[in-house]
Amino acid sequence: MAQNDCLVYLNGDYLPPNNAKVSVLDRGFLFGDGVYEVIPVYGGRPFRLDEHLRRLDNSLRGIRMTNPLSDSQWADIFDRLIAGAHDQYLYLQVTRGVAPKRDHAIPADVNPTVFVMCSPIAPIPTSGVCAVTMDDIRWQWCHIKAITLLANVLLRQEAVDRGAAEAILVRDGWVTEGAASNVFAVVDGVLMTPPKGNDLLPGITRDLVLELALENNVPAVEQRIRLDDLKRASEIWLTSSTREILPVIELDGVPVGGGEPGPLWSRMQAIYQAYKQRLRTA
């Protein structure tokens, strides 16, 4: 595996980040017309690569695009960019490309813009974080991992302004997901997470947590969660590719459970880390 920690990929070229340029006429810049993926890398190996590439395909189809590269071509790019065996993540973005004029309608015969970079994963705060609930003001196709993230950015920033790490979003009294995460809650001893649909992103880490829970005899279901049930949950978790399983110890200023990571989180955290270690040494 050829490794280089100071290059990014852009449309067939491997370049230093400062030399990678995208046209101001790119529809990703003008309209947010594109999708992205984030893939953790442990021990030099992309995490659940097939699942991430399938989600990329689904997102591209959702915005009427065809995947510009084959799975093997993506894998070749990732191999070139992954640097060492430390925990890191791949970020890839595909936009519709550069059109000859600014027009909302989708142009014909435009070459997509493909960008990939690899960055270290920041330490994860296993002591727990605070979260706040907010109205889900986003669009109705949240299952597409689109680069149009302004609503998510504003919601997350409002959470930060209120001293919290994440906004847990609620639509018509039902929990959907976090601004940049999926949500789990332990209610009456059962681990719950909202089912997949257009109102939330089908998280790869979310799916793995469910899979590992069921394999280890943890009662777990995909079930809609009312805001009232979330507020009485004994444990709340946030899951994402780079934050893994993050315990919420305070919601809207009120301690969750005992105000510290709960026993089921501790169990699932150990199971998850063991799974990662197997990936590193496989």
Side-chain angles (χ1 to χ4, degrees), residues 2-272:
Q3 298 173 337
N4 196 313
D5 61 357
C6 61
L7 297 178
V8 300
Y9 173 91
L10 180 64
N11 294 336
D13 295 321
Y14 295 88
L15 305 163
N18 290 341
N19 293 348
K21 309 296 183 184
V22 178
S23 170
V24 295
L25 296 180
D26 192 281
R27 287 179 61 90
F29 175 72
L30 293 176
F31 296 107
D33 187 357
V35 302
Y36 74 103
E37 267 297 326
V38 177
I39 308 173
V41 178
Y42 304 120
R45 297 177 175 86
F47 178 74
R48 297 216 144 190
L49 179 58
D50 289 345
E51 289 86 346
H52 280 281
L53 290 178
R54 293 294 74 75
R55 186 171 66 177
L56 175 64
D57 283 339
N58 292 338
S59 293
L60 286 166
R61 282 197 296 270
I63 65 167
R64 303 189 186 189
M65 285 188 68
T66 300
N67 198 325
L69 300 174
S70 67
D71 287 0
S72 62
Q73 288 173 315
W74 283 116
D76 287 344
I77 294 169
F78 300 158
D79 283 349
R80 178 82 178 266
L81 295 179
I82 292 171
H86 61 279
D87 290 357
Q88 55 203 291
Y89 69 93
L90 294 154
Y91 175 87
L92 67 93
Q93 180 170 300
V94 182
T95 75
R96 206 172 302 273
V98 178
K101 63 178 181 178
R102 185 184 183 280
D103 187 343
H104 285 69
I106 296 174
D109 302 322
V110 174
N111 293 322
T113 296
V114 179
F115 172 74
V116 188
M117 66 179 179
C118 194
S119 303
I121 291 178
I124 298 167
T126 56
S127 58
V129 298
C130 301
V132 292
T133 56
M134 295 186 192
D135 288 338
D136 191 344
I137 60 172
R138 304 167 304 160
W139 69 332
Q140 296 180 358
W141 287 356
C142 296
H143 62 294
I144 297 173
K145 202 168 177 67
I147 62 174
T148 47
L149 291 172
L150 182 57
N152 301 65
V153 167
L154 294 174
L155 288 162
R156 167 68 78 79
Q157 186 57 47
E158 185 176 344
V160 170
D161 292 345
R162 291 165 58 178
E166 180 64 301
I168 294 179
L169 308 181
V170 180
R171 185 173 296 182
D172 299 325
W174 298 96
V175 175
T176 53
E177 59 182 346
S181 59
N182 290 109
V183 176
F184 284 80
V186 180
V187 181
D188 297 330
V190 178
L191 180 62
M192 299 179 177
T193 193
K196 294 178 183 178
N198 288 5
D199 54 354
L200 62 88
L201 184 72
I204 305 300
T205 302
R206 167 201 179 276
D207 291 351
L208 177 58
V209 169
L210 275 176
E211 178 184 313
L212 293 174
L214 294 173
E215 285 178 357
N216 288 274
N217 300 313
V218 173
V221 294
E222 293 181 271
Q223 179 175 313
R224 298 181 77 193
I225 302 173
R226 290 188 179 275
L227 176 58
D228 289 345
D229 289 329
L230 184 74
K231 290 188 174 183
R232 69 181 184 88
S234 58
E235 299 186 35
I236 299 172
W237 311 340
L238 307 170
T239 63
S240 71
S241 291
T242 56
R243 293 194 289 178
E244 300 179 354
I245 312 174
L246 189 60
V248 175
I249 59 173
E250 181 183 292
L251 180 68
D252 291 337
V254 177
V256 175
E260 59 185 19
L264 187 53
W265 174 83
S266 297
R267 182 182 174 194
M268 286 301 303
Q269 171 75 347
I271 292 169
Y272 192 92

